[in-house]
Amino acid sequence: MKLSKKEEALQTKQNFRDLCMDVEQRLLNIPESVSGDELEKIMPTKSTFADGCYIREIFVPAGQFFTTEIHKKDHPFFLLKGKLSMASEDGTLNIEAPFHGITKKGTKRAVYIHEDVIFITVHATEKTTVEEVRKDVLAESFDDPAVLLKQ
């Protein structure tokens, strides 16, 4: 039975999501993999709050490969410095600063850093701590109602 274009697109998105989650698990199982405080030392972040906005700036050194969090809301991002490749369910982007784009809700990416980057995201939120913002704008899984694929 042939799938409609819409069903085919949904299947492609689901396949990418499954692949991205598999890549993330494989990365986490590498002995040299880091997280938490160790990750903050390698990829330091700066958080700023301004009248209903959370601005997150991150420095990432060249050679890093990682997957991003799953986003519940659309938000802008800005590449201020460097070069990177991002794979998402919409395809692969090879970008060089200066660049800006929109992260759509439900997005999770696999990212490779070619040159040191400075990357900024801006999130509309009334939350006032990083922990509250994370709960507000990030999903724990693709099963979160905010990011479920619709038929």
Side-chain angles (χ1 to χ4, degrees):
M1 177 183 217
K2 187 172 179 183
L3 297 176
S4 70
K5 287 189 187 269
K6 186 175 181 179
E7 291 169 326
E8 194 174 289
L10 286 172
Q11 185 62 52
T12 299
K13 285 182 181 258
Q14 186 60 55
N15 289 345
F16 179 84
R17 288 179 171 191
D18 293 344
L19 177 62
C20 202
M21 295 305 291
D22 182 57
V23 166
E24 181 174 83
Q25 283 307 306
R26 289 172 187 263
L27 288 172
L28 291 172
N29 289 331
I30 295 172
E32 295 82 13
S33 181
V34 295
S35 61
D37 291 340
E38 281 301 308
L39 188 60
E40 179 67 23
K41 289 177 189 173
I42 295 169
M43 301 183 341
T45 60
K46 177 182 172 187
S47 297
T48 306
F49 292 87
D51 199 17
C53 288
Y54 168 66
I55 301 119
R56 180 174 179 259
E57 178 181 320
I58 185 167
F59 168 82
V60 187
Q64 299 300 308
F65 179 71
F66 56 92
T67 56
T68 65
E69 305 272 3
I70 302 166
H71 299 275
K72 286 193 218 179
K73 300 177 178 183
D74 294 357
H75 67 274
F77 69 87
F78 304 87
L79 181 64
L80 301 182
K81 173 186 174 183
K83 290 183 186 178
L84 59 82
S85 295
M86 287 192 300
S88 75
E89 55 198 36
D90 295 322
T92 301
L93 278 177
N94 297 306
I95 60 176
E96 183 173 353
F99 183 89
H100 72 277
I102 302 293
T103 297
K104 297 291 188 183
K105 73 177 183 176
T107 299
K108 183 176 185 74
R109 298 180 176 117
V111 180
Y112 179 75
I113 306 299
H114 300 282
E115 294 178 0
D116 291 359
V117 303
I118 296 176
F119 196 85
I120 292 179
T121 59
V122 180
H123 305 271
T125 181
E126 294 301 320
K127 305 302 181 190
T128 58
T129 69
V130 173
E131 295 77 22
E132 290 175 317
V133 170
R134 289 182 59 78
K135 289 178 187 171
D136 189 35
V137 304
L138 300 175
E140 292 185 25
S141 75
F142 285 115
D143 294 329
D144 187 300
V147 298
L148 283 174
L149 290 174
K150 304 286 189 241
Q151 295 244 3

